[in-house]
Amino acid sequence: MSDPLSVRSLRNLVSETRNPRTTDVDLLPVPEVVGRINAEDKMVASAVEAELPVIATAVEVIADAFRAGGRLIYIGAGTSGRLGVLDASECPPTFSVPPSMVIGIIAGGDRALRHAVEGAEDSEAQGADDLAAVSLTELDVVVGIAVSGRTPYVIGALDYASEVGARTMALTCNPNSLLSRHAEISIAPVVGPEVVTGSTRLKSGTAQKMVLNMLTTAAMIRLGKTYQNLMVDLSISNSKLQTRAVGILSEITGVEPEEATVLLAEAGNDVKLAICMKLTGLNRDAASEVLAENGGVLRKAIDKTRGTICARLTD
């Protein structure tokens, strides 16, 4: 039986309150239903915007952790956990990072990605155990994701992360949540009540996805995983990405697609290396070396090489 105090506590959460703008939604024709949903969704971006300063701080912490050899680990239950796993799984193909660099953990394990695992979110100890299972260290950053901001599984995980010495962050959609008191950094876009009361896969889930997009994308940009706004570190794993890689190489270097294809092959299908070779005139080994010397940041490698060439010309 539910604890009456717990019921009242749940109802006090912004994400669990009734939305006065949608109380008649079951009476509306479909065009109006989707119109109401769309109108509510428009509030999400502004809620995330209000959190941009703290999101920027979180990005710097994550980027610093990556540079030090640490990892970003998302942990959550239900929709929150699934969104973390989704964002983590997109990083290897987008930025050519190892799967171990950004990890998503969901309460109940992989089965919970497709099926509800009853009670999985109720154990603080399990949250700690799941982090221990990935050999958490003080170099890592743990982001606990929970719309309500009170999920025991996530609280246990953040407490364990603090004990280990890892950096901790909370991502919720309720202000002044319990979870925020268990993390160094708290991100809480308050999107208001859902179209369907308590269905936090709607606005709250959208807000979480937007924040997660920012955390990984901005951190990877800081690491030099893009040149301008192009994915120069993408992993070529299918024909679409092969075509995209040729297009990126052609766009940046100005060569025709046919030449870009040859250049890409010479670079071992490494887009960043191929660009560096073309723009600096270095061979594969030399270009690889200058990229390594500059932390894999293409712009720095190019600028340094060109600066060296100019200095030689003026000597």
Side-chain angles (χ1 to χ4, degrees):
M1 181 179 294
S2 297
D3 181 350
L5 291 176
S6 295
V7 172
R8 283 193 284 271
S9 175
L10 187 67
R11 287 176 177 171
N12 286 333
L13 297 175
V14 173
S15 58
E16 295 291 333
T17 56
R18 294 187 69 188
N19 190 330
R21 295 177 295 276
T22 61
T23 54
D24 62 344
V25 71
D26 60 326
L27 301 175
L28 302 177
V30 170
E32 291 189 39
V33 171
V34 296
R36 294 281 181 93
I37 294 172
N38 181 245
E40 293 294 318
D41 284 343
K42 291 177 182 178
M43 303 176 186
V44 176
S46 59
V48 172
E49 183 179 13
E51 296 296 298
L52 289 182
V54 70
I55 293 171
T57 298
V59 168
E60 294 288 6
V61 170
I62 293 167
D64 286 345
F66 285 155
R67 293 188 189 100
R71 302 167 296 173
L72 171 60
I73 301 172
Y74 295 133
I75 189 162
T79 297
S80 296
R82 293 182 189 101
L83 289 171
V85 172
L86 173 62
D87 193 66
S89 68
E90 292 289 351
C91 289
T94 305
F95 302 111
S96 285
V97 298
S100 59
M101 187 170 173
V102 183
I103 298 172
I105 300 173
I106 183 171
D110 285 353
R111 175 175 168 75
L113 291 172
R114 292 180 175 81
H115 306 279
V117 178
E118 300 300 332
E121 67 176 54
D122 295 332
S123 171
E124 290 189 16
Q126 190 60 57
D129 289 346
D130 286 352
L131 280 184
V134 297
S135 302
L136 188 73
T137 77
E138 72 279 2
L139 297 177
D140 299 325
V141 177
V142 176
V143 179
I145 314 170
V147 169
S148 67
R150 64 175 211 164
T151 306
Y153 175 82
V154 181
I155 290 173
L158 289 183
D159 286 347
Y160 175 77
S162 295
E163 291 173 10
V164 170
R167 304 298 298 271
T168 56
M169 304 177 184
L171 173 55
T172 77
C173 289
N174 282 279
N176 305 312
S177 68
L178 176 61
L179 191 64
S180 68
R181 298 195 286 274
H182 291 257
E184 298 173 63
I185 297 173
S186 176
I187 303 170
V190 181
V191 297
E194 301 287 1
V195 171
V196 176
T197 304
S199 182
T200 54
R201 69 186 184 87
L202 300 175
K203 290 190 297 183
S204 297
T206 301
Q208 288 179 323
K209 184 65 172 70
M210 290 175 69
V211 172
L212 298 178
N213 284 347
M214 290 180 181
L215 294 181
T216 46
T217 303
M220 294 298 176
I221 289 172
R222 293 290 287 170
L223 293 184
K225 294 294 183 179
T226 65
Y227 180 78
Q228 299 172 2
N229 62 349
L230 296 171
M231 295 188 295
V232 293
D233 248 336
L234 85 164
S235 178
I236 303 174
S237 57
N238 57 45
S239 59
K240 179 189 75 173
L241 293 177
Q242 175 74 25
T243 301
R244 178 178 292 168
V246 170
I248 290 172
L249 183 52
S250 179
E251 175 77 18
I252 293 175
T253 64
V255 303
E256 293 299 320
E258 293 78 12
E259 183 180 348
T261 300
V262 173
L263 185 58
L264 191 60
E266 292 175 353
N269 266 3
D270 186 323
V271 180
K272 182 186 287 184
L273 181 58
I275 294 168
C276 189
M277 290 166 59
K278 181 62 179 178
L279 294 185
T280 63
L282 298 174
N283 62 32
R284 178 172 173 170
D285 290 341
S288 181
E289 183 176 338
V290 76
L291 279 170
E293 290 172 353
N294 288 276
V297 180
L298 179 60
R299 189 181 293 275
K300 288 183 179 179
I302 293 170
D303 290 347
K304 181 178 179 180
T305 304
R306 287 175 170 171
T308 300
I309 293 172
C310 289
R312 288 173 180 170
L313 291 175
T314 57
D315 285 344

